[in-house]
């Protein structure tokens, strides 16, 4: 390689790094009114055991962020660093032996080409462990879809232009380019959507109680917010459910309890791994969606506790923190957006042929 080529490559890497730092930075702008409200909310909130590692809101390192000012989209965070985070999530938490490699895993020997042995292994697992893998795969697919749909297409005069990137979408999901893996990922995305949809339907009785107040500090906003939320729950009930979580953890009681706890600990570990993401904005949305999924599972596995909740007295058997409620609704919003963006890509593909 000539000296000119070395300089050019070095310059390109530096530019990519600067772009990733710029696009991945968090906009932490908040009004004084919002800051005061957060302090008030912290006094009001209550908590218990969780499926995910919740951040300590009182920690000096904790930071409140306006999600509307920090949309999830392409940031330039990619390559070995991003691969290692997802590899750790799959390797440490999906009940997988080290000798079995995920298809197209860039960190695997031979780049994980032997998908037949992987799916033979997966089908041999119990239902609960297969579900766990599909949920993580669906979450991964959803995040990738957001990046493909909101890609930095060009930047002129300091003004970025965002939109769908067909080449990136095909690289991640096209049946030919992914050797059949892309459609499996998208199928897992739909499965995850159904799981979270069912969780919203199941948690409705918790919020329908008169004692539940979605506290904002403004009585009128409290009432309006609760009305809107109950309308969403009503819509979820009109949707036919295609998955029954009662089929999970239904065997030997002792074994089921142990597996359920393992499930919970694996999810907490995933939220810890998300702390290792080197891009602030990617970490923000990754943790939020992981926490939303963990909250959905907490709901699905607490149906009896939810049904026994008193109408006019505080919750004892089941409780959701403000963090969990925000994560649950935003995670489902992200999944809904993924489904919509997938339909948009289908239309673009048809027009490009």
């Amino acid at each position: 390689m000539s000296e000119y080529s070395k300089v050019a490559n070095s310059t390109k890497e530096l530019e990519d790094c600067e772009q990733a730092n710029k696009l991945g930075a968090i906009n932490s702008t908040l009004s004084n009114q919002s800051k005061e409200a957060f302090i008030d909310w912290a006094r009001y909130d209550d908590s218990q055991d969780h499926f995910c590692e919740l951040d300590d809101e009182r920690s000096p390192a904790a930071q409140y962020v306006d999600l509307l000012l920090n949309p999830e989209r392409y940031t330039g965070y990619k390559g070995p660093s991003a691969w290692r985070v997802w590899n750790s999530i799959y390797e440490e938490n999906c009940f997988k032996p080290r000798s079995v490699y995920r298809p197209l895993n860039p960190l695997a020997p031979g780049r994980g080409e032997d998908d037949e042995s992987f799916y033979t292994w997966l089908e041999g697992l119990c239902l609960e462990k297969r579900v766990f893998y599909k949920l993580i795969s669906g979450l991964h697919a959803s995040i990738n879809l957001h990046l493909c749909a909101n890609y930095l297409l060009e930047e002129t005069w300091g003004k970025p232009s965002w939109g769908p990137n067909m080449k990136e979408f095909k690289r991640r999901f096209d049946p030919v380019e992914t050797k059949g893996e892309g459609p499996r990922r998208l199928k897992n995305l739909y499965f995850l959507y159904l799981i979270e949809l069912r969780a919203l339907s199941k948690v409705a009785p918790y919020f329908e109680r008169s004692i539940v107040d979605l506290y904002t500090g403004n009585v009128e906003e409290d009432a309006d917010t609760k009305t809107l939320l109950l309308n969403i729950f009503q819509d979820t009930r009109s949707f036919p459910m295609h998955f029954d979580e009662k089929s999970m953890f239904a065997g030997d009681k002792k074994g089921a309890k142990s597996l359920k706890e393992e499930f919970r600990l694996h999810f907490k570990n995933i939220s810890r791994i998300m702390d290792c993401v080197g891009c602030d904005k990617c970490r923000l949305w990754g943790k939020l969606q992981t926490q939303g999924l963990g909250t959905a599972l907490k709901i699905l596995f607490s149906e009896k506790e939810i049904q026994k909740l008193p109408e006019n007295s505080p919750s004892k058997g089941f409780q959701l923190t403000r963090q969990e409620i925000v994560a649950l609704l935003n995670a489902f919003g992200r999944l809904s957006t993924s489904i919509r963006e997938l339909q948009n890509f289908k239309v673009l593909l048809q027009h490009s042929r």
Side-chain angles (χ1 to χ4, degrees), residues 32-48:
N32 288 331
Q33 184 181 3
S34 294
K35 291 174 184 175
E36 290 170 6
F38 295 146
I39 295 170
D40 198 18
W41 293 354
R43 293 194 197 104
Y44 186 88
D45 283 347
D46 181 55
S47 110
Q48 65 153 43

Side-chain angles (χ1 to χ4, degrees), residues 187-206:
K187 189 176 180 181
N188 291 336
L189 163 64
Y190 278 101
F191 177 69
L192 173 58
Y193 178 81
L194 290 175
I195 291 287
E196 294 203 11
L197 185 67
R198 187 163 178 83
L200 289 179
S201 176
K202 291 285 185 180
V203 82
Y206 172 83

Side-chain angles (χ1 to χ4, degrees), residues 17 33 45 78 107 139-140 151 227 273 322:
C17 186
Q33 184 181 3
D45 283 347
K78 56 189 176 182
L107 299 180
L139 176 63
H140 195 178
Y151 206 87
T227 298
I273 292 173
R322 188 181 305 273

Side-chain angles (χ1 to χ4, degrees), residues 6-251:
K6 288 179 181 177
V7 171
N9 284 340
S10 177
T11 303
K12 179 69 169 61
E13 287 175 6
L14 183 61
E15 288 174 351
D16 286 349
C17 186
E18 289 176 349
Q19 183 193 59
N21 286 335
K22 178 184 174 184
L23 297 178
I26 290 288
N27 182 339
S28 57
T29 306
L30 290 172
S31 67
N32 288 331
Q33 184 181 3
S34 294
K35 291 174 184 175
E36 290 170 6
F38 295 146
I39 295 170
D40 198 18
W41 293 354
R43 293 194 197 104
Y44 186 88
D45 283 347
D46 181 55
S47 110
Q48 65 153 43
D49 285 342
H50 314 289
F51 254 82
C52 280
E53 193 78 9
L54 298 184
D55 292 325
D56 180 2
E57 296 180 35
R58 294 176 178 81
S59 166
Q63 184 179 27
Y64 283 101
V65 172
D66 186 337
L67 296 177
L68 296 177
L69 295 178
N70 294 279
E72 184 183 20
R73 58 192 179 194
Y74 173 79
T75 65
Y77 180 65
K78 56 189 176 182
S81 177
W83 295 343
R84 281 193 292 272
V85 170
W86 279 109
N87 198 56
S88 294
I89 288 173
Y90 284 108
E91 293 294 322
E92 295 177 21
N93 301 286
C94 288
F95 307 95
K96 190 178 71 59
R98 295 282 180 183
S99 57
V100 175
Y101 297 100
R102 284 182 298 118
L104 306 181
N105 178 0
L107 299 180
R111 296 180 62 83
E113 298 290 345
D114 186 13
D115 58 352
E116 188 175 330
S117 63
F118 174 81
Y119 285 106
T120 299
W121 162 79
L122 186 64
E123 289 307 311
L125 293 179
C126 64
L127 170 67
E128 292 82 1
K129 292 180 179 180
R130 292 202 307 274
V131 164
F132 194 98
Y133 171 79
K134 288 180 179 180
L135 293 177
I136 300 305
S137 172
L139 176 63
H140 195 178
S142 180
I143 290 173
N144 280 335
L145 252 172
H146 301 151
L147 307 186
C148 295
N150 286 284
Y151 206 87
L152 181 62
L153 302 178
E154 59 180 335
E155 190 167 7
T156 53
W157 302 103
K159 291 185 178 180
S161 172
W162 305 89
N165 185 319
M166 289 292 295
K167 183 178 179 182
E168 192 66 22
F169 176 79
K170 285 183 173 181
R171 187 177 74 80
R172 297 174 187 269
F173 299 107
D174 181 81
V176 176
E177 291 196 31
T178 63
K179 300 181 180 179
E181 185 61 18
R184 287 191 178 106
R185 294 170 178 170
L186 295 176
K187 189 176 180 181
N188 291 336
L189 163 64
Y190 278 101
F191 177 69
L192 173 58
Y193 178 81
L194 290 175
I195 291 287
E196 294 203 11
L197 185 67
R198 187 163 178 83
L200 289 179
S201 176
K202 291 285 185 180
V203 82
Y206 172 83
F207 290 98
E208 287 168 349
R209 296 175 304 142
S210 57
I211 196 172
V212 173
D213 181 18
L214 298 177
Y215 184 78
T216 66
N218 181 307
V219 177
E220 288 185 8
E221 286 187 10
D222 291 355
D224 290 344
T225 303
K226 185 168 181 178
T227 298
L228 289 170
L229 188 58
L230 294 182
N231 288 341
I232 291 174
F233 292 145
Q234 190 61 38
D235 288 341
T236 65
R237 285 171 169 168
S238 66
F239 188 83
M241 294 298 168
H242 299 286
F243 180 80
D244 184 1
E245 72 285 348
K246 289 177 184 175
S247 59
M248 295 178 65
F249 308 111

